Amino acid sequence: MSEENKEAEAPDQDAMAREMEKSLDAGRPDELSQSDIDEMMGGATPAKKVREFSTLEERIIYMSMLNFEKLPMLDVIFERMVMSLSNSLKNYTSATADITLNSIEYLSCADGIAKIPVPGLLPIVHADPWDGNIVMGVDAKLLYSTLEIKLGGRNSRPAPTEGRNFTSIEQTIGRGLSKVILKDLEDAFAQLTDVSLDIERVETNPQFATVGQPNSPAIYVRLDVEIDKRRGRIDFVIPYLTIEPIRNLLAKVFFGEKLGGDPTWRGHVVSEIESSEIEVRAVLHEEQVPLEEILSMKPGKVLNLNIQPDQEATIQCAGEVLCHGALGRRKNGMMAIQVTETNFNNKEFIDVLDAD
């Protein structure tokens, strides 16, 4: 072949290579979609942006308007819930479930609801007898994973959630899943107090999931869930107004909080308190008399006390009435009081030390 023919074929080969590269690029799918990225990161698109502040001063002023009281017992309750929920979801889905407590944050109701991802189901839960509501969030990934696993599917990509509403079957599965979760939350609170958590309604739009004023303080709790290697999350927004009846209990550090951790030292303190001496006063009667009459008193003046013969005396300590008793005389001629009624429990002081 001559040199001229080789030079003429070279451009044709280059052109063919470029055409093949274009055809391959045209048929090549996108490497990572947004759903793939969300799945890799284990997150989802939030409902809306959380409140942002341009300066630190604005954030300090805003946070000072909210009254946040730390509730350490909530950590204990949700840690206990996580342990029981793993077994409950395993029984409900017949698949391996792994639950972890991601975070517990103190913020406003609006900011808490803004952290719940959409799309997802938002059950509005009524807490009885607290007479308040809680927002619960079950994201679409957890819902679809539960649905497919219960219907026999394994390790398949969840259906896209954008642009459509949940079907009646999906909502039914979501309600059943929510009841399983709430049952474990009830059992976790049962260590502290009895509460019944019932679903009032289920929303899909965070704008309608209102349980309090937007700026009212609340607790946001996030649980990360992995069922059969599929990730999802459960969110709770608990307004402070809802847990107001048990706020004092939640403010404790741990179950069975007592005075000191050493039972020997606590017993010594109780023994010393019981053996200590106090000054008591027996009061037979108290009468209000005009000051003019008191100033005009002289030896021999009679003060009418209006005391009945059977009137009982009171025994007081530091101004507090401890008991009542009948006044009498002993055989040796000394006056005495026979106690007829006490105003305190005999074990009251010990119960205070040993109280949970």
Side-chain angles (χ1 to χ4, degrees), residues 209-280:
T210 55
V211 291
Q213 296 295 328
N215 292 331
S216 60
I219 302 102
Y220 168 77
V221 182
R222 173 179 170 177
L223 305 179
D224 290 336
V225 184
E226 184 175 347
I227 302 179
D228 197 22
K229 299 182 180 180
R230 304 183 187 192
R231 294 178 179 176
R233 55 187 279 188
I234 303 169
D235 302 85
F236 293 95
V237 177
I238 308 174
Y240 268 73
L241 186 61
T242 299
I243 58 176
E244 179 65 29
I246 62 167
R247 182 182 293 189
N248 293 335
L249 297 176
L250 294 176
K252 291 187 175 183
V253 178
F254 54 86
F255 283 121
E257 184 178 34
K258 298 179 180 180
L259 179 61
D262 188 354
T264 304
W265 174 253
R266 185 166 58 251
H268 175 70
V269 173
V270 172
S271 176
E272 289 296 322
I273 292 177
E274 290 178 335
S275 61
S276 60
E277 296 183 358
I278 59 175
E279 180 181 351
V280 295

Side-chain angles (χ1 to χ4, degrees), residues 174-243:
R175 277 181 172 270
L177 177 62
S178 300
K179 290 180 180 179
V180 172
I181 298 170
L182 293 175
K183 179 63 171 61
D184 283 330
L185 184 57
E186 287 181 1
D187 295 341
F189 270 108
Q191 301 289 332
L192 203 63
T193 182
D194 293 330
V195 62
S196 176
L197 302 176
D198 301 315
I199 299 177
E200 283 192 344
R201 66 183 190 277
V202 178
E203 302 288 351
T204 56
N205 190 340
Q207 294 181 355
F208 302 119
T210 55
V211 291
Q213 296 295 328
N215 292 331
S216 60
I219 302 102
Y220 168 77
V221 182
R222 173 179 170 177
L223 305 179
D224 290 336
V225 184
E226 184 175 347
I227 302 179
D228 197 22
K229 299 182 180 180
R230 304 183 187 192
R231 294 178 179 176
R233 55 187 279 188
I234 303 169
D235 302 85
F236 293 95
V237 177
I238 308 174
Y240 268 73
L241 186 61
T242 299
I243 58 176

Side-chain angles (χ1 to χ4, degrees), residues 88-129:
S88 299
L89 290 184
K90 180 179 179 181
N91 297 331
Y92 183 71
T93 61
S94 300
T96 304
D98 184 21
I99 320 294
T100 56
L101 177 59
N102 183 288
S103 63
I104 297 180
E105 302 179 31
Y106 298 83
L107 33 71
S108 65
C109 279
D111 292 341
I113 294 176
K115 284 179 169 287
I116 300 178
V118 292
L121 292 181
L122 303 174
I124 308 301
V125 182
H126 180 73
D128 184 54

Side-chain angles (χ1 to χ4, degrees), residues 39 144-145 148-149 152-159 228-230:
E39 185 175 357
Y144 289 140
S145 299
E148 292 175 357
I149 292 174
R154 289 292 188 275
N155 294 331
S156 61
R157 182 183 296 273
D228 197 22
K229 299 182 180 180
R230 304 183 187 192

